[in-house]
Amino acid sequence: MKERQIYVDYNATTPLKDEVKAAMISDLDIYGNASSMHAAGRCARARVEEARAAVGRLVGAPAGSIIFSSGGSESNNTVFHTARQLASGADGSPLKEGRRKFVVTTAEHPCVLNSAEFAKKLGFSVDFIPVDEYGKVKIDALKAVLSAETLLVSIMMANNEIGTVQDIKEISRLVKGVGAFMHTDAVQAVGKIPVNVEDLGVDYMTMSAHKIYGPKGVGALYVKKGAPLFPLINGGHQEDGLRAGTYNNVGILGLGVAADLAAKDLDEYQRRTSQLRTRLMSGLQANIPNIKVNGHPVDVLPNTLNVSFPGAEGEAILLSMDIAGIQASTGSACASGSLEPSHVLMAIGAGAEMAHGSIRFSLGWGTSEEDVDYIIETLPPIIKRLRSMSTVVAA
């Protein structure tokens, strides 16, 4: 048994907060189907609507604009499905005639990139716009592709691997200027930085419970009033016919409680994780030569630190840290097991070697100064040993 376990992979998933767990356990006795009209069903439905209002409060949205889903991937796919349906004239409206172009960045989450590639296979046009060395959207490149043919632009608010935060408000203004729909995947942003959909001006925004200390298997999609939405899952009348399937009462309740807690504790979360991130970054820079911090130096999530260690291989670093009781990540959890270098780090021009030698530390409520100091103490000899064994000489 390891002497200590330090979890610094909160961008991959978070543990349930005690208050969320307690609420979910209590809800297990509320067995009614939230679509039923009897007392048990009405009780369950009331809990669902309380959660919907809580999610809305967290992001400054009317409760009625929140659609529950199974998570971020489903919500993102629903938006792309909607756009494909619109472009195919499924709504019978001529408003979007001639608009068959999708725009995404090269640093998006795999579910967005794959959705864009699928649209391309179906004959739609897709523009993959570049990001700069810090992961910021190249605005000139975005402006160059926006046109009367653009239907949907999807750009994540905060990158899951390097933490770079985009200026979604400005991007949305440009997108709306050509009459296109704007979607942002805010899974990593919500609960970590202030998010207000009215201020951002987006049509669609994706959220996920298990990134904010709620349960896995439940998420939400904000849909601006008047924006079209075609169900990805057809069947019953749930969510006004926009997402069929029996309500996941327990999961939705957990999301609602997590949303309320995230809203209440946002300022303290930012202050705490930002201080820990700075402590960790400074400690690694002071004790390990020739490392590179990836991501924007200012516009970055307060909890996310991505570092490249030239001359050491990422998986070897990860396994060595795990033996020492430190649980981190080499990038997106969705890409674990892949031998390909991180597409995000490649998009920012890091190069294959730097990408293969990168570690993502994502901090959370359970991270302490003692944990950070242990990482700073433990990691330097690991990097030194791995570099001494490597055939790649650190420049």
Side-chain angles (χ1 to χ4, degrees):
M1 190 72 178
K2 301 181 181 73
E3 290 186 6
R4 63 191 302 170
Q5 291 288 332
I6 296 173
Y7 183 79
V8 281
D9 200 17
Y10 286 87
N11 282 11
T13 195
T14 59
L16 290 175
K17 275 197 168 182
D18 290 341
E19 299 94 328
V20 174
K21 186 185 297 184
M24 292 176 67
I25 290 173
S26 71
D27 198 53
L28 291 173
D29 292 328
I30 301 175
Y31 55 87
N33 188 319
S35 296
S36 298
M37 296 181 66
H38 49 58
R42 294 196 304 272
C43 180
R45 184 55 183 254
R47 295 290 188 98
V48 168
E49 296 310 317
E50 287 171 8
R52 196 187 309 278
V55 174
R57 286 192 296 270
L58 177 60
V59 298
S65 64
I66 302 298
I67 305 294
F68 289 119
S69 69
S70 66
S73 291
E74 183 191 326
S75 292
N76 287 342
N77 272 268
T78 300
V79 174
F80 275 81
H81 170 71
T82 293
R84 293 194 303 266
Q85 294 290 92
L86 282 173
S88 301
D91 67 338
S93 169
L95 293 178
K96 298 301 174 185
E97 279 185 0
R99 291 184 181 267
R100 294 180 60 82
K101 181 186 290 187
F102 293 77
V103 179
V104 300
T105 78
T106 53
E108 295 301 310
H109 188 278
C111 73
V112 167
L113 290 175
N114 289 340
S115 293
E117 289 288 358
F118 181 62
K120 193 173 181 180
K121 289 179 181 178
L122 293 178
F124 298 99
S125 173
V126 181
D127 286 312
F128 295 90
I129 59 173
V131 294
D132 65 18
E133 62 182 306
Y134 302 114
K136 281 278 196 176
V137 173
K138 291 189 175 181
I139 296 297
D140 287 344
L142 174 62
K143 289 178 179 178
V145 301
L146 291 177
S147 70
E149 297 178 359
T150 307
L151 175 59
L152 176 71
V153 177
S154 179
I155 297 176
M156 63 165 48
M157 188 175 301
N159 190 270
N160 51 311
E161 292 193 36
I162 60 176
T164 296
V165 178
Q166 305 291 349
D167 186 353
I168 295 298
K169 182 177 181 178
E170 172 61 14
I171 292 170
S172 182
R173 185 187 66 80
L174 296 172
V175 171
K176 305 311 287 184
V178 299
F181 292 110
M182 178 67 199
H183 165 247
T184 187
D185 177 347
V187 162
Q188 292 291 347
V190 170
K192 296 176 183 175
I193 59 176
V195 175
N196 185 287
V197 293
E198 296 293 336
D199 183 57
L200 295 173
V202 298
D203 297 293
Y204 309 98
M205 188 176 76
T206 299
M207 296 163 272
S208 181
H210 78 106
K211 306 295 187 181
I212 58 171
Y213 303 86
K216 299 173 181 63
V218 61
L221 176 65
Y222 160 77
V223 182
K224 186 177 181 178
K225 184 178 181 180
L229 193 72
F230 287 83
L232 183 66
I233 300 175
N234 290 290
H237 62 275
Q238 293 88 356
E239 299 298 83
D240 292 327
L242 296 174
R243 202 277 185 178
T246 303
Y247 284 103
N248 175 7
N249 288 11
V250 176
I252 290 172
L253 173 67
L255 170 55
V257 175
D260 268 339
L261 292 172
K264 178 174 69 73
D265 299 331
L266 181 60
D267 289 344
E268 175 61 18
Y269 173 88
Q270 291 185 97
R271 184 197 64 79
R272 176 185 171 86
T273 56
S274 180
Q275 288 181 351
L276 292 172
R277 180 185 184 276
T278 299
R279 187 186 188 99
L280 177 58
M281 180 173 65
S282 299
L284 295 180
Q285 289 173 326
N287 290 279
I288 305 176
N290 186 34
I291 66 173
K292 182 180 185 301
V293 175
N294 301 304
H296 199 277
V298 177
D299 297 333
V300 66
L301 290 174
N303 79 314
T304 305
L305 180 67
N306 188 296
V307 184
S308 289
F309 301 91
E313 202 277 323
E315 289 192 359
I317 301 172
L318 198 67
L319 291 172
S320 297
M321 287 197 302
D322 191 42
I323 291 171
I326 303 167
Q327 303 170 57
S329 171
T330 54
S332 168
C334 302
S336 61
S338 172
L339 295 178
E340 294 297 317
S342 159
H343 73 280
V344 173
L345 293 178
M346 295 299 286
I348 66 174
E353 183 204 339
M354 295 287 276
H356 275 302
S358 68
I359 297 294
R360 180 187 70 184
F361 303 92
S362 45
L363 317 175
W365 282 113
T367 310
S368 66
E369 289 186 353
E370 291 74 21
D371 292 338
V372 168
D373 291 343
Y374 179 73
I375 296 171
I376 294 169
E377 174 190 347
T378 304
L379 193 52
I382 290 175
I383 300 301
K384 184 177 181 180
R385 174 176 60 82
L386 294 175
R387 281 175 170 171
S388 71
M389 299 165 56
S390 176
T391 56
V392 179
V393 179

